[in-house]
Amino acid sequence: MAYVALSEAEKTFILHGVEEDYRCDGRSRRDYRPMELETGLVSNASGSARLRLANTDILVGVKTEIDVPHQLTPEFGKLEFFVDCSANATPEFEGRGGSDLAQELILSLKNAYESPFAFDYRSLCLIPGQQCWKLYIDILILECGGNLYDAVSLAAKAALFNTKLPRVTATLLDAGITDLIISDNPYDCTRIGIETVPLLVTVCKIGDFCLVDPSAEEEACSTVSMVVAVSQRNNEAFLSGTHMTGGGSMHRDTMLNCLQLGLSIGDYLDKLLVKMLKQEQERVGPKRPKIVGFLK
Amino acid sequence: MAGRFELLSEQGLRLDGRRPHELRHIKCKMGVFEQPDGSAYMEQGNTKVLAAVYGPHQAKGKKTETNDVIINCQYSQATFSTSERKNRPRGDRKSQEFKMYLQQALSAAIKSELYPRSQIDVYVEVLQADGANYAVSLNAATLALIDAGICLNEFVVACTASLSKSNIPLTDISNIEEVSGGPKLTVAALPTAEKIAFLEMSERFHIDHLETVIETAMAGCREIRDILEAAVKEHLIHIGSAADWGRVC
């Protein structure tokens, strides 16, 4: 993670703020920083989203490809995550400097999406055992201002929502060989169901208290965090994966509290995101806002 | 050159409807990010590039032995930037090459005598690639350097040019024109001094045409310089309006 220079006094100040439930930027322990989200801004990708959470900037592009399903799961499509920590974020990421962080992020996303309840892999299957969609979710980290896990998962979910898969029709040729016809019409497409797609919530322990959405400075004060993957099903929040990051340890009761906090926050965040994305989708024609991207 | 795709229609229009000497639409913005010392975003047609500058700071590692400024560049391309997915964002031969060329062109522009024993990091990230990637990267890097307040001799800008079958020079080549196999020339120039900081060409030109194609690219450079200069002035008016500097420009 990007290095933040903090003195002991500053760390104590942050710690006291967390104890008082009044953080440096005026938030309480359960508050998020303001977010900006835009979808569909990379024209070379099937789906894309850019999320800016205060100073954290994430760009996600989804690319699609037709592949053969795995032998053990013939009815499942495939997902592949790739995280690139751009040197734009910090000079430490130059060359291979960001690969450790990238691996960590890829692993936690993979874990969260692993369960077929968390992501409907069946919807990506074209012909069981023969052909399926493979989605490459390419995540680009452009600026690190803390709370990468949450930002990355939010952006990934938004990009999946934005992804358009061209409609595929199969025709049966002789000798049982099937031939796929992919529609050329850019409007003849299907969407991916994102209701159950998990979000990651980082619950950060500072002193004796847990908080969400830590800024880069707050992350530097914390020894241990809990990343909670929350997946929504039938309007109920489920846990689809969790892991601890950082070198410290926490008591079992604290851990349970963290999980509870993460779950309730994730539930709320998810509902908000889905509501916002649906709103944006409904704005078509002249009402559709122009894509601003980085020009804002 | 038989079988080459015709770049110019009978009406004198290019594949995307531009006239031979026309640039693609340019949009740019300085100061996109908070953390780097300077940053810029540039869009030229569908090619979109982000550049960030860190420094000048103390040189790291064994680079400290020299007295000169070290200009450290990195060129990377997002995996989703091209129509075919790229497997790695950097480290391939093309990005190594571009990195060197960036270093070369920027060294010509930066007033190196002002920054002894320091290092300037320039990181370029191509978000969407649609031709002239190097040229747009360099233009974005120039803006980011200006945003970082690093002294330059003058704007260093790059432009590409090609030649149609009927020997009409074309400015600012898009990806489709690049892949359809015409010759391609990239020039990085200091337009006011009329100096060329970097030149690269591929395919072949007849020596008689080279002069006109270079001149076309230089004209493109001058035009881009004017656009960048206007963008810098507008940015200054914007950030300086509180202190009333805006009127100075």
Side-chain angles (χ1 to χ4, degrees):
Chain A
M1 194 78 55
Y3 174 72
V4 192
L6 274 186
S7 67
E8 281 306 308
E10 283 170 305
K11 282 187 179 171
T12 319
F13 183 78
I14 290 174
L15 189 81
H16 286 170
V18 171
E19 276 169 14
E20 306 265 320
D21 202 10
Y22 193 80
R23 287 149 77 178
C24 296
D25 38 16
R27 288 183 288 158
S28 78
R29 289 192 292 259
R30 296 172 59 100
D31 282 340
Y32 266 72
R33 291 168 292 175
M35 281 179 222
E36 278 171 40
L37 181 69
E38 194 175 15
T39 53
L41 65 170
V42 181
S43 57
N44 278 338
S46 309
S48 56
R50 180 208 180 199
L51 182 94
R52 196 169 167 84
L53 172 67
N55 269 354
T56 305
D57 213 312
I58 314 281
L59 183 67
V60 180
V62 180
K63 284 242 178 220
T64 54
E65 196 182 277
I66 286 184
D67 202 12
V68 181
H70 199 272
Q71 283 181 340
L72 294 174
T73 51
E75 289 171 3
F76 283 12
K78 290 178 177 174
L79 272 193
E80 187 155 319
F81 292 96
F82 178 79
V83 176
D84 178 24
C85 299
S86 164
N88 282 26
T90 154
E92 285 163 51
F93 291 160
E94 199 187 325
R96 294 177 176 276
S99 58
D100 285 352
L101 177 65
Q103 268 317 315
E104 232 180 293
L105 285 164
I106 292 174
L107 273 178
S108 57
L109 280 171
K110 246 189 176 163
N111 276 338
Y113 278 70
E114 202 175 8
S115 154
F117 289 116
F119 186 82
D120 184 13
Y121 288 92
R122 282 193 175 82
S123 66
L124 296 182
C125 183
L126 296 168
I127 304 168
Q130 291 182 35
Q131 314 252 243
C132 68
W133 284 111
K134 182 173 187 181
L135 301 187
Y136 289 96
I137 303 178
D138 294 321
I139 297 160
L140 186 62
I141 295 169
L142 293 168
E143 201 175 10
C144 297
N147 205 10
L148 278 180
Y149 288 93
D150 301 24
V152 162
S153 72
L154 280 163
K157 184 163 181 167
L160 278 174
F161 175 82
N162 185 244
T163 302
K164 296 170 198 79
L165 296 172
R167 199 177 296 281
V168 175
T169 36
T171 48
L172 198 64
L173 297 180
D174 292 343
I177 305 165
T178 41
D179 196 22
L180 293 182
I181 303 163
I182 298 170
S183 170
D184 289 334
N185 182 357
Y187 295 101
D188 188 18
C189 57
T190 51
R191 299 268 187 164
I192 301 167
I194 55 145
E195 280 72 28
T196 57
V197 170
L199 288 182
L200 302 176
V201 178
T202 313
V203 183
C204 184
K205 184 172 168 269
I206 297 180
D208 297 330
F209 294 94
C210 297
L211 52 89
V212 294
D213 189 26
S215 65
E217 289 78 20
E218 283 166 337
E219 269 174 359
C221 296
S222 143
T223 51
V224 64
S225 311
M226 190 104 208
V227 180
V228 186
V230 185
S231 160
Q232 195 81 234
R233 193 149 44 92
N234 302 332
N235 267 328
E236 235 183 301
F238 286 86
L239 209 60
S240 77
T242 175
H243 71 106
M244 277 163 79
T245 60
S249 57
M250 57 168 83
H251 191 265
R252 250 175 43 199
D253 294 345
T254 326
M255 200 174 88
L256 283 177
N257 281 340
C258 281
L259 288 178
Q260 284 296 346
L261 177 68
L263 213 57
S264 70
I265 297 275
D267 186 24
Y268 183 69
L269 203 61
D270 192 87
K271 284 189 175 119
L272 223 58
L273 178 74
V274 171
K275 193 179 134 198
M276 225 201 79
L277 287 171
K278 292 235 159 95
Q279 241 171 34
E280 197 181 91
Q281 193 190 26
E282 277 159 19
R283 284 160 66 183
V284 285
K287 271 188 277 173
R288 181 146 186 85
K290 260 206 152 147
I291 288 166
V292 279
F294 295 88
L295 286 167
K296 202 184 145 215
Chain B
M1 280 198 234
R4 206 178 94 197
F5 204 57
E6 187 48 79
L7 295 176
L8 211 57
S9 73
E10 279 171 24
Q11 288 77 29
L13 293 175
R14 288 154 72 175
L15 296 165
D16 47 8
R18 283 184 287 160
R19 295 195 178 281
H21 61 273
E22 252 175 311
L23 293 175
R24 288 174 290 175
H25 199 64
I26 295 178
K27 287 182 199 161
C28 48
K29 167 140 171 69
M30 292 165 78
V32 195
F33 296 128
E34 314 269 322
Q35 273 159 15
D37 295 299
S39 59
Y41 170 74
M42 178 131 179
E43 239 179 78
Q44 197 161 329
N46 269 330
T47 305
K48 297 176 183 176
V49 176
L50 272 173
V53 170
Y54 287 86
H57 55 79
Q58 195 181 355
K60 281 177 200 143
K62 51 187 171 186
K63 295 171 187 164
T64 43
E65 284 154 27
T66 132
N67 243 334
D68 304 326
V69 61
I70 295 152
I71 297 162
N72 175 37
C73 295
Q74 180 176 284
Y75 174 91
S76 55
Q77 233 177 327
T79 41
F80 49 77
S81 62
T82 44
S83 48
E84 279 281 305
R85 184 179 179 270
K86 275 172 75 81
N87 274 326
R88 347 182 244 181
R90 59 190 147 267
D92 55 330
R93 200 181 293 174
K94 199 83 202 159
S95 49
Q96 288 297 328
E97 197 182 315
F98 280 172
K99 169 198 152 152
M100 262 160 41
Y101 295 164
L102 278 173
Q103 244 156 5
Q104 213 175 316
L106 292 176
S107 314
I110 292 173
K111 277 190 178 292
S112 48
E113 66 276 15
L114 296 176
Y115 306 104
R117 291 171 177 273
S118 358
Q119 180 178 341
I120 298 170
D121 297 320
V122 181
Y123 303 120
V124 173
E125 183 78 47
V126 176
L127 303 179
Q128 212 170 299
D130 185 34
N133 299 345
Y134 170 76
V136 185
S137 301
L138 184 69
N139 298 341
T142 306
L143 279 183
L145 282 170
I146 293 169
D147 189 40
I150 288 167
C151 291
L152 304 179
N153 290 313
E154 72 166 284
F155 283 74
V156 53
V157 287
C159 188
T160 53
S162 180
L163 195 68
S164 79
K165 251 192 204 167
S166 42
N167 294 332
I168 297 172
L170 310 170
T171 324
D172 195 12
I173 307 307
S174 69
N175 186 44
I176 187 149
E177 288 168 325
E178 245 170 52
V179 295
S180 52
K184 183 188 164 195
L185 181 109
T186 308
V187 170
L190 306 165
T192 315
E194 300 223 331
K195 278 185 187 157
I196 292 176
F198 169 76
L199 187 138
E200 187 212 19
M201 60 166 277
S202 57
E203 290 272 334
R204 56 177 201 175
F205 286 106
H206 192 275
I207 188 87
D208 293 349
H209 299 307
L210 190 63
E211 184 65 35
T212 52
V213 176
I214 290 180
E215 181 41 42
T216 312
M218 286 294 278
C221 286
R222 282 193 289 272
E223 218 171 307
I224 294 172
R225 195 265 323 269
D226 293 342
I227 294 170
L228 296 191
E229 205 173 341
V232 170
K233 280 184 179 168
E234 202 187 295
H235 178 70
L236 280 179
I237 290 171
H238 188 69
I239 59 162
S241 55
D244 225 20
W245 320 335
R247 293 189 203 149
V248 183
C249 304

